[in-house]
């Protein structure tokens, strides 16, 4: 009598001849972007950080001077690690309208808008930029990964969603001479791009999508190419920029510029819903300063009912505000107090702004503080100086964002510098 | 004749944890152990020269760090080393790896499915949320919902508050988690067979249920709520094998003045006038104690060591019906060289982690079908690893100890007792599965120890060889473990306590049952418990 069932497989060595490169990825835990050879050649600080699994520069040669390159000349920053999805099909517009907060019907082909999307409970999953490449083709760029959410949301729509982070390389060219550099590089017609416009230009036998967008609050552009055209694009810009002060920069410099522009970063200034382990860390758009995106008139979208309800019942708990803090000591991760006593929130990012000559910060506060109660707010700064915390209690004022407004960002036609 | 303050039956990890805490509270404690060695199911044994086997439990994660600190276990040699990765081999010659690095993990999943690669974040979030809910309950006595004592009401309110502190979706998830099958649960996140199989294994280990049986999702949670030095969910090897855990406990116990007697099998608990007074050992020797704590499982304790007439009928019936079904076996192998798995690149971290050959949930379920028919799985699920890749103390350099946990393995073979021939055939099933993926594997084998439920019950004393001293299903957890009304480590017999994995919070080398039982005993004796750290904060 057999005491165990027949073995389903004949005993045989299950052996694969050779290992594919895909199987060997564990040997490189931080991968390179298509621009890495150029960045490596310019890297002097060896100051890398992990951006979504990529080896990305925190700085390249001098984090302070890299910032000034953004504001005075032109800075080249590799944004390839940004997560990108291609969304395409006859229902692409209606799908994205259902998915995101803003009205995508108002986004014409050749335009870009900054948007966000929520789960069914109205909690923000991420913010990002939506590029309308054609009537039926979009690109969604963001910080976190959302493929399961996008695919599930697409059920019932005639649309395909493809993750294309690795396939598409991208650069940000930001700063006063960025337009002049693109013109110099031969992108004819680039002068016609108004803020949030995009257009396709020929490049190296293929094409590049250039949008007048960026994360610096300055005149600037973002360029998207297939990965195999990345290096020739870099070289084209670098050559054209030689006489106009082009410099490669890392994230530390960019982070200062974005803070001056008052822009928020997912999982730095708020916790995205799919990452929040603690229920009280979830945020609705109105709680992180994205209420302006919410279009309650456009029809149903994810989270609509809850967002509308929170507004009408006045149950929003938090508010994200810009703060101007007295003195010049950055208040990073400082606790915010009302009347120096009651804890009402936390600073998520703070710097001394070279452009505003002010001590600025982004903070999340517990309503009504920062919303209707904006008087008598303070931040408690612990500044470590030679192994001692210097504790400062400084007055904070709620101010509008952006902290700086540069005319050259929106000027049309764009200025030479 | 000496009367001990307390006598603990069984020198397993929970018995020793319990004894340590009692001894440190000033009691004079004796531990009696039937084997000539200590450790119970957490033991390291040298069965062939040069090699040490973790011959029962083989990995460590659940053992509470509060206990390690209270009992000074590092001072007595306990070190836990996180392991590095893991793999599920697929039948087409490929494999799915688990890497510690988040992005490598994602890229690996993306080889199989772009969607699943990006689904891991939400899965990890949801599992973490549930673990954070359960974790603080581990080091607390479960409240008795039928009692109206202020403490139980207080604990119930604590539970209620914790539950109310969850968001609405998490509350729904909690109920689902505690009742769902691991297969259904994983279907909510992943689409790829091998990826689901990769996670499902934690839902069936030690459990006489298939991945499609309701209740297995909780078993997964039980395997995720441990940690290695703050890295939640991580698993590691105890340096020197799992015996290092109990050796450190025993040394700590002796250092504080405790006494251990090995080779002393308990025949019966002495009960006079409804109160435990000590033990009768095999051979008839009586040992007297003011109280008795049993680390044996609930069935062994009350059906073998206590006369039935001493127990209430309802209690007896519940104990008899407590589910403690044998479902697994263990094969420990000494190897004279490192086996090669050609599917893996030679430098793969998976060699330093757990390896598996079951690449679909369906195959696991079919393995369970064999068990239901009273046979061991023809195509078993193996949790296989070589601790000697990281631990230099268990085998000579270049040689390896391989631990294979095998599921499913029935307590009886088609209704008959296991025979030696059955055991050998069972071992052959295991070896042949490994050899499929590792050419030349058989030639490397120096020695092998094969443990079916028969050996596990006979040697370790686990009824049916059930590794958890009772299955971890919702009907047998919290205030229902092991018997409603007796979930607070006490028994119907005055002075007889239970401290093993049959009690809350259940199995695994956790130590929490032993610790919690000590807390209750000291409470009954009105002794201070200042030497017992409260559970670490979960913030």
């Amino acid at each position: 009598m057999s005491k165990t069932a027949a073995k389903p497989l004949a005993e045989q060595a299950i052996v694969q001849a050779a290992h594919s490169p895909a199987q060997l990825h564990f040997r490189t835990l931080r991968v390179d972007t298509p621009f890495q050879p150029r960045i490596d050649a310019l890297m002097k600080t060896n100051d890398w950080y992990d951006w979504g699994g990529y080896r990305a520069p925190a700085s390249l040669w001098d984090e302070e001077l890299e910032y000034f390159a953004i504001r005075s000349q032109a800075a080249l920053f590799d944004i390839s690690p940004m997560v990108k999805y291609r969304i395409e099909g006859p229902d692409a517009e209606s799908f994205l309208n259902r998915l995101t907060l803003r009205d995508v019907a108002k986004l014409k082909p050749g335009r870009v808008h900054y948007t966000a999307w929520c789960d069914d409970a109205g909690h923000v999953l991420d913010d990002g930029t939506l590029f309308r490449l054609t009537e039926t083709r979009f690109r969604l760029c963001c910080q976190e990964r959302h493929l399961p959410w996008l695919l599930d949301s697409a059920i019932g729509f005639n649309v395909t969603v493809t993750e294309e982070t690795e396939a598409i390389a991208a650069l940000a060219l930001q700063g006063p001479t960025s337009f002049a550099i693109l013109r110099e590089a031969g992108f004819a017609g680039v002068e016609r791009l108004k803020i949030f416009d995009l257009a396709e230009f020929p490049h190296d036998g293929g094409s590049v999508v250039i949008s007048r967008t960026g994360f610096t609050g300055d005149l600037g552009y973002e360029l998207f190419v297939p990965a195999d055209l990345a290096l020739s694009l870099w070289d084209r810009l670098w050559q054209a920029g030689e006489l106009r002060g082009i410099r490669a920069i890392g994230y530390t410099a960019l982070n200062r510029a974005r803070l001056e522009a008052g822009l928020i970063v997912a999982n730095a200034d708020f916790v995205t819903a799919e990452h929040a382990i603690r229920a009280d860390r979830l945020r609705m758009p109105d709680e992180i300063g994205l209420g302006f995106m919410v279009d309650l008139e456009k029809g149903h979208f994810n989270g609509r009912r809850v967002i509308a309800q929170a507004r009408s019942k006045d149950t929003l708990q938090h508010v994200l505000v810009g703060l101007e803090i007295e003195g010049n000591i950055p208040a990073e991760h400082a606790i915010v107090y009302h009347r120096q006593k009651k804890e009402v929130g936390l600073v998520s990012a703070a710097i001394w702004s070279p452009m505003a000559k002010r001590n600025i910060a982004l903070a999340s506060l517990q309503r009504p503080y920062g919303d209707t109660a904006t008087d008598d707010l303070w931040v408690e700064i612990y500044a470590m100086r030679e192994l001692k915390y210097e504790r400062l209690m400084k007055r904070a004022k709620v101010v509008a964002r952006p902290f700086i407004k540069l005319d050259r960002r929106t000027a049309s036609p764009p200025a030479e510098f | 004749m000496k009367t001990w303050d307390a006598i603990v039956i069984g020198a397993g990890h929970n018995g020793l944890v319990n004894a340590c805490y009692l001894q440190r509270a000033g009691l004079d404690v004796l531990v009696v152990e039937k084997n000539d060695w200590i450790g119970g199911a957490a033991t390291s044994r040298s069965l062939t020269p040069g090699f040490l086997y973790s011959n029962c439990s083989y990995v460590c994660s659940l053992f509470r760090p509060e206990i390690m600190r209270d009992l000074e276990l590092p001072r007595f040699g306990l070190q836990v080393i996180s392991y590095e990765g893991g793999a599920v081999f697929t039948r087409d010659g490929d494999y799915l790896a688990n890497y510690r690095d988040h992005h490598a993990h994602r890229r690996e999943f993306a080889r199989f499915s772009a969607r699943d690669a990006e689904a891991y974040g939400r899965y990890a979030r949801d599992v973490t949320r549930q673990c954070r809910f359960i974790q603080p309950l581990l080091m607390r006595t479960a409240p008795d919902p039928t009692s109206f004592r202020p403490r139980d009401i207080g604990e119930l309110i604590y539970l209620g508050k914790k539950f109310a502190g969850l968001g609405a979706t998490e509350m729904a998830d909690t109920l689902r988690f505690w009742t769902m099958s691991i297969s259904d649960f994983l279907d909510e996140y992943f689409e790829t067979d091998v990826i689901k199989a990769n996670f499902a294994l934690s839902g069936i280990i030690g459990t006489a249920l298939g991945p499609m049986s309701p209740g297995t999702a909780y078993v997964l949670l039980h395997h995720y709520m441990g940690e290695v030095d703050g890295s939640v969910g991580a698993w590691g090897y105890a340096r020197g094998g799992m015996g290092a855990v109990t050796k450190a406990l025993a040394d700590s116990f002796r250092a504080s003045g405790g006494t251990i007697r090995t080779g002393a099998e308990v025949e019966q608990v002495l009960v006079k006038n409804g109160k435990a007074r000590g033990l009768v050992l095999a051979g008839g020797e009586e040992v007297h104690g003011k109280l008795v704590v049993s680390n044996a499982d609930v069935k062994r304790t009350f059906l073998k060591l206590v006369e039935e007439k001493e127990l209430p009928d309802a209690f007896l019936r519940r104990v008899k019906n407590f589910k403690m079904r044998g479902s697994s076996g263990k094969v420990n192998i000494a190897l004279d060289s490192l086996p090669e798995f050609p599917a893996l690149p030679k430098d793969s971290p998976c060699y330093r982690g757990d390896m598996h050959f079951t690449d679909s949930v369906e195959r696991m379920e079919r393995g369970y079908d064999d068990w239901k028919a009273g046979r061991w799985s023809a195509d078993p699920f193996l949790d296989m690893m070589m601790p000697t890749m990281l631990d230099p103390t268990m085998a000579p350099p270049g040689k390896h100890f391989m631990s294979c946990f095998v599921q499913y393995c029935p307590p009886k073979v088609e209704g008959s007792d296991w025979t030696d021939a059955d055991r050998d055939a069972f071992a052959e099933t295991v070896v042949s599965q490994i050899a499929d993926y590792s050419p030349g594997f058989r030639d490397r084998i120096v020695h092998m120890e094969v443990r079916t439920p028969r050996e596990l019950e006979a040697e370790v004393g686990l009824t049916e060889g059930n590794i958890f001293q009772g299955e971890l299903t919702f009907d047998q957890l919290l205030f229902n473990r092991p018997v409603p009304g007796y979930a607070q480590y006490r028994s119907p017999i005055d002075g007889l306590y239970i401290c093993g994995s049959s009690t809350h919070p259940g199995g695994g080398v956790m130590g929490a049952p032993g610790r919690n039982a000590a807390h209750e005993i000291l409470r009954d004796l009105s002794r201070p418990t200042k030497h017992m750290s409260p559970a670490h904060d979960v913030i």
Side-chain angles (χ1 to χ4, degrees), chain A residues 262-332:
Chain A
L263 300 167
I264 57 172
V265 173
N267 286 319
D269 298 302
F270 71 99
V271 183
T272 55
E274 285 204 341
H275 288 83
I277 289 165
R278 297 155 187 84
D280 64 347
R281 309 303 205 270
L282 298 161
R283 291 291 182 271
M284 300 182 89
D286 291 303
E287 296 177 313
I288 53 171
L290 302 184
F292 72 93
M293 294 174 174
V294 176
D295 188 340
L296 293 175
E297 307 307 314
K298 71 169 182 172
H300 184 64
F301 60 91
N302 274 328
R304 181 182 182 279
R305 194 183 315 146
V306 204
I307 292 169
Q309 208 170 57
R311 284 181 176 183
S312 66
K313 293 193 173 164
D314 204 12
T315 55
L316 294 162
Q317 307 243 330
H318 308 271
V319 64
L320 188 142
V321 294
L323 293 181
E324 207 179 288
I325 297 160
E326 63 176 339
N328 66 348
I329 313 292
E332 194 154 32

Side-chain angles (χ1 to χ4, degrees), chain B residues 241-294:
Chain B
M242 290 304 281
V245 175
T246 44
K247 182 183 176 299
L249 283 166
D251 289 351
S252 169
F253 177 56
R254 290 194 192 99
S256 57
T259 310
I260 301 176
R261 265 184 76 176
T262 53
E265 179 157 15
V266 176
E267 191 80 34
Q268 211 173 54
V269 176
L270 267 177
V271 181
K272 276 181 201 152
N273 303 326
K275 182 167 179 8
R277 305 280 178 187
L279 307 170
V280 184
L281 298 179
E285 182 190 345
E286 286 195 6
V287 187
H288 294 166
K290 292 178 191 158
L291 57 91
V292 174
V293 191
S294 175

Side-chain angles (χ1 to χ4, degrees), chain B residues 53-54 61 72 75 245 291 298 326-327 393-394 411 448 466 513 531:
Chain B
Y53 291 165
S54 285
S61 169
E72 303 174 276
R75 189 183 137 206
V245 175
L291 57 91
V298 66
S327 61
T393 69
M394 299 181 79
M448 194 156 75
N466 182 294
H531 62 306

Side-chain angles (χ1 to χ4, degrees), chain A residues 190-209:
Chain A
V190 76
E191 68 281 359
R192 286 197 291 274
L193 292 182
K194 296 194 178 71
I195 185 102
F196 291 117
D197 277 353
L198 70 81
E200 206 165 338
F201 298 85
H203 171 69
D204 195 14
S207 70
V208 51
V209 171

